[in-house]
Amino acid sequence: MIEQFIKFCVVGGSGVFVDFGITYLCKEWLRLNKYIANSVGFLCASTTNYLLNRIWTFENDSPDIASQYLRFLGIAAVGLLINNLTIYLLHGRWGWNFYFSKLCAIGVVTFWNFFMNYFFNF
């Protein structure tokens, strides 16, 4: 499990670039609401993370890709709620920098996503 968690974190690290890049594009260039931009970035990163985690982290070859992907997205959707709540508390209530709050939120959600996927998806 420890090796898989490390791999999951490496994959998540690549997802941070996707997440931040898409969030920045949506928030700063497209001028979308910061929570919508955060959600779009988070879900794009979740999709790339699913593919990498399926192949590399969990070495899963289940033929039921569609159901597995939907479970992964369901877990990620709950993670997104936790993510937005964390950003709301850190940025909205406590006045922390938005992007630093987002980074903290990613750390919190990493544990949720790993253990839920480890026990219920892969």
Side-chain angles (χ1 to χ4, degrees):
M1 180 189 311
I2 293 172
E3 180 181 343
Q4 288 174 317
F5 183 73
I6 291 168
K7 286 181 175 183
F8 191 85
C9 289
V10 169
V11 169
S14 72
V16 167
F17 288 102
V18 173
D19 190 349
F20 269 74
I22 297 295
T23 299
Y24 181 83
L25 174 73
C26 291
K27 182 178 178 286
E28 305 300 336
W29 289 9
L30 300 177
R31 302 287 185 211
L32 295 179
N33 172 280
K34 60 188 165 192
Y35 295 106
I36 292 172
N38 180 60
S39 299
V40 172
F42 187 88
L43 291 173
C44 287
S46 293
T47 299
T48 60
N49 286 356
Y50 166 73
L51 295 169
L52 293 171
N53 279 314
R54 176 181 162 80
I55 294 165
W56 185 54
T57 304
F58 297 105
E59 299 175 6
N60 189 275
D61 59 0
S62 170
D64 194 14
I65 295 170
S67 293
Q68 189 178 59
Y69 179 64
L70 290 175
R71 282 192 306 274
F72 190 91
L73 286 181
I75 291 166
V78 174
L80 176 60
L81 294 173
I82 296 167
N83 185 285
N84 277 327
L85 177 62
T86 303
I87 290 172
Y88 171 75
L89 291 173
L90 298 179
H91 174 67
R93 291 293 190 146
W94 296 352
W96 293 16
N97 174 276
F98 175 78
Y99 290 106
F100 183 72
S101 299
K102 181 173 177 58
L103 185 63
C104 292
I106 289 169
V108 170
V109 173
T110 295
F111 289 98
W112 162 264
N113 284 340
F114 175 76
F115 287 109
M116 294 303 290
N117 277 293
Y118 183 85
F119 288 116
F120 299 109
N121 203 20
F122 296 108

